Amino acid sequence: MNDPNGLIQWRGQYHLFYQYNPHAPVWGSIHWGHAISDDLVHWRDMPIALEPTPGGVDEYGVFSGCAVDDTGVPTILYTGVRMLADGARLELPCLATSSDDDLRTWHKYPRNPVITSPPPGVDVLGFRDHSVWNEDGSWHQLIGSGIRGVGGTVFLYRSPDLRYWEYVQPILIGDPSQTGEMWECPDLFRLGDEHVLMVSPIPLRKTLYFMGSFNGHRFSPRSEAVLDAGGYLYAPQSFTDSQGRRIMFGWLWEGRDESAQRAAGWAGVMSLPRAFVPRTDGRLGVQPAPELQSLRKQHTSLRDVSFESQVMVDLRGVALELVAEISPGAATHVGVRILCAPDGTEQTVIRYDAASDLLSIDRHRSSLDLAVDREEHSTHLGLSTAEPLRLQVFVDHSVVEVFANGHTCLASRVYPTRPDSLGVELFADGGTARLTSLDVWEMASIWP
Ligand code: DQQ
């Protein structure tokens, strides 16, 4: 699987569609897979929702798109892709509707594509992926693109009925030296008093977000940042649920090579659902969906401990949630080691460097398999002087997701080889740190 698609809460159920190759665990022959959940945690696999139509405008693939409620009719806008004789890809917006409550069956609009070409006179690098919403009685659609030699861009269209679209203009054009040449998977939403625009630029291999204002035809960015600094999250999509929350999923790609993916028989996972929350300090607030707490099982905790060197945690495992609040104090580095072998030959280190204010995931010793990714990823956390490090870490076999201080995320992939690489420990280097609280839970499986 790759990108999340068509996120929508319909008749009380959450629907997660996703880019899916049913034939092999590598990218290709793109269909839409489908899963349903009542609680964002437990999912039911559904039959394939959309497949390429031989001889149709999407015969090469049904690429990414989104879902909307068209006054009671669930409607998808996706990218239909066809190969041209010269080997170039023709990417055009297509529409499909469903008439069953589980959104199992989709009917492609017979007059697809709903937009027959990119904006005239513009030399585009791609024209795909959709963000659609209704405002002031009219439908708005964003399409990801890039203008050759100019930069990544997001085009805006408007429509009275989702079928007839009028081109408006680019809402934002990036600087190719900073933000890549083509923007995949644009997603625009309001959060508090501001707007957030996410894009996944080629060739950056990470997702950027801009915070700023959208006035109906142009987006004015106030700030720009990386959505997840772990190096694995890409092509996220968000939607508003019935509680008014803005929930996001992202694709986490693999950190092992194609032969290992073929041997495993699968590749790619969804991130945990994340909720965006407005903040007053100008940053984008992100937290794991609180529903995940329903998976908490066996628990251990520690309160108010001063420590230097290690503190062993008496819970071990490959499916854990850890919540810690640590004041570095005199320590130069503090953090947590997970998936540790008893002799330390395998371990993944989540480390905060107080002097440089860098939070990192260090995978140099994550796996004895030398073929998997092992480079470190880090980001500035922006802690103020007295602010403690607040970590929430989810470990799920090869997936590690770190949430820090309500605004910083690093998702990573690790592949320990030893069955006893299960240990958890806190550490402080170079001085005494203070642990205000630590809670660790073993997490239940989401599968019956
Ligand atoms: N994945 C899809 C595209 C999108 C890309 C194809 C991003 O629609 O641009 O599988 O990962």
Side-chain angles (χ1 to χ4, degrees):
M1 58 161 63
N2 51 296
D3 320 354
N5 291 157
L7 300 177
I8 192 168
Q9 193 177 12
W10 188 258
R11 307 230 187 285
Q13 302 186 110
Y14 291 102
H15 293 263
L16 168 70
F17 300 89
Y18 53 89
Q19 296 280 282
Y20 175 53
N21 179 356
H23 307 302
V26 291
W27 187 90
S29 180
I30 293 295
H31 292 54
W32 276 33
H34 182 198
I36 298 184
S37 172
D38 294 324
D39 61 2
L40 285 175
V41 177
H42 300 87
W43 293 89
R44 240 172 30 248
D45 265 325
M46 300 294 289
I48 284 172
L50 276 181
E51 59 184 17
T53 299
V57 283
D58 58 13
E59 71 173 347
Y60 180 75
V62 284
F63 279 23
S64 285
C66 61
V68 292
D69 175 357
D70 181 14
T71 48
V73 181
T75 302
I76 279 173
L77 271 298
Y78 68 94
T79 303
V81 182
R82 195 152 56 89
M83 284 315 237
L84 297 175
D86 64 1
R89 276 191 339 208
L90 182 63
E91 304 173 337
L92 293 171
C94 294
L95 182 144
T97 55
S98 182
S99 49
D100 66 278
D101 284 353
D102 284 342
L103 310 187
R104 246 171 212 276
T105 316
W106 290 87
H107 314 285
K108 292 180 185 174
Y109 180 50
R111 297 175 67 184
N112 278 337
V114 292
I115 297 172
T116 51
S117 74
V122 188
D123 188 5
V124 298
L125 297 165
F127 187 61
R128 62 179 178 271
D129 311 334
H130 313 263
S131 174
V132 178
W133 72 98
N134 196 296
E135 197 169 322
D136 302 328
S138 113
W139 290 102
H140 295 60
Q141 173 173 203
L142 302 181
I143 300 177
S145 189
I147 304 175
R148 195 180 302 277
V150 177
T153 192
V154 175
F155 292 120
L156 172 66
Y157 288 76
R158 277 205 201 112
S159 168
D161 61 0
L162 292 169
R163 287 154 180 81
Y164 170 78
W165 292 93
E166 195 179 9
Y167 174 56
V168 182
Q169 62 178 60
I171 65 160
L172 184 66
I173 299 178
D175 168 354
S177 68
Q178 304 293 316
T179 57
E181 60 192 27
M182 193 274 160
W183 287 350
E184 300 187 293
C185 302
D187 188 358
L188 177 73
F189 56 94
R190 178 181 274 284
L191 190 71
D193 297 334
E194 286 207 287
H195 284 92
V196 180
L197 174 66
M198 304 193 288
V199 295
S200 295
I202 293 177
L204 302 192
R205 292 180 59 80
K206 60 188 170 189
T207 294
L208 303 179
Y209 68 89
F210 303 94
M211 296 182 77
S213 58
F214 177 67
N215 65 4
H217 51 272
R218 184 166 291 285
F219 182 85
S220 307
R222 169 184 65 71
S223 65
E224 175 203 317
V226 175
L227 184 71
D228 185 297
Y232 286 82
L233 186 138
Y234 195 73
Q237 187 176 99
S238 68
F239 71 109
T240 303
D241 78 353
S242 61
Q243 300 171 43
R245 300 180 301 174
R246 195 72 191 181
I247 309 275
M248 179 215 105
F249 287 89
W251 163 39
L252 303 180
W253 56 50
E254 293 296 320
R256 50 186 171 175
D257 62 22
E258 193 181 309
S259 64
Q261 295 171 35
R262 286 190 186 274
W266 63 278
V269 292
M270 281 300 138
S271 71
L272 292 173
R274 301 179 179 185
F276 290 126
V277 278
R279 292 174 62 95
T280 51
D281 62 2
R283 295 196 258 214
L284 179 63
V286 188
Q287 60 186 35
E291 285 91 333
L292 295 163
Q293 294 170 13
S294 68
L295 295 174
R296 291 173 175 175
K297 288 201 302 189
Q298 200 185 331
H299 173 231
T300 189
S301 66
L302 274 175
R303 293 285 179 274
D304 294 317
V305 182
S306 289
F307 69 109
E308 44 186 24
S309 64
Q310 282 94 267
V311 179
M312 292 298 292
V313 176
D314 57 2
L315 246 184
R316 300 141 52 81
V318 288
L320 299 171
E321 179 188 350
L322 177 149
V323 178
E325 185 174 310
I326 306 171
S327 296
T332 55
H333 300 87
V334 293
V336 51
R337 300 190 186 101
I338 53 170
L339 300 170
C340 302
D343 62 1
T345 51
E346 287 189 329
Q347 54 178 280
T348 295
V349 186
I350 298 151
R351 179 189 301 113
Y352 178 65
D353 177 334
S356 63
D357 181 48
L358 280 177
L359 178 67
S360 47
I361 299 195
D362 175 351
R363 300 177 299 164
H364 290 107
R365 287 200 270 165
S366 289
S367 179
L368 292 172
D369 178 354
L370 298 180
V372 302
D373 292 356
R374 54 188 58 244
E375 80 278 11
E376 182 169 322
H377 288 271
S378 50
T379 185
H380 284 286
L381 191 51
L383 286 195
S384 53
T385 325
E387 196 181 349
L389 170 67
R390 285 187 287 113
L391 284 180
Q392 185 166 10
V393 179
F394 293 85
V395 183
D396 186 4
H397 297 80
S398 66
V399 184
V400 179
E401 289 189 63
V402 177
F403 297 83
N405 292 70
H407 50 70
T408 297
C409 305
L410 295 104
S412 191
R413 301 296 304 276
V414 290
Y415 304 91
T417 59
R418 291 177 50 155
D420 59 353
S421 292
L422 302 168
V424 180
E425 58 186 45
L426 297 181
F427 68 90
D429 292 337
T432 305
R434 177 118 197 121
L435 174 73
T436 313
S437 62
L438 171 75
D439 291 278
V440 185
W441 292 267
E442 198 183 323
M443 298 292 269
S445 169
I446 69 164
W447 306 109

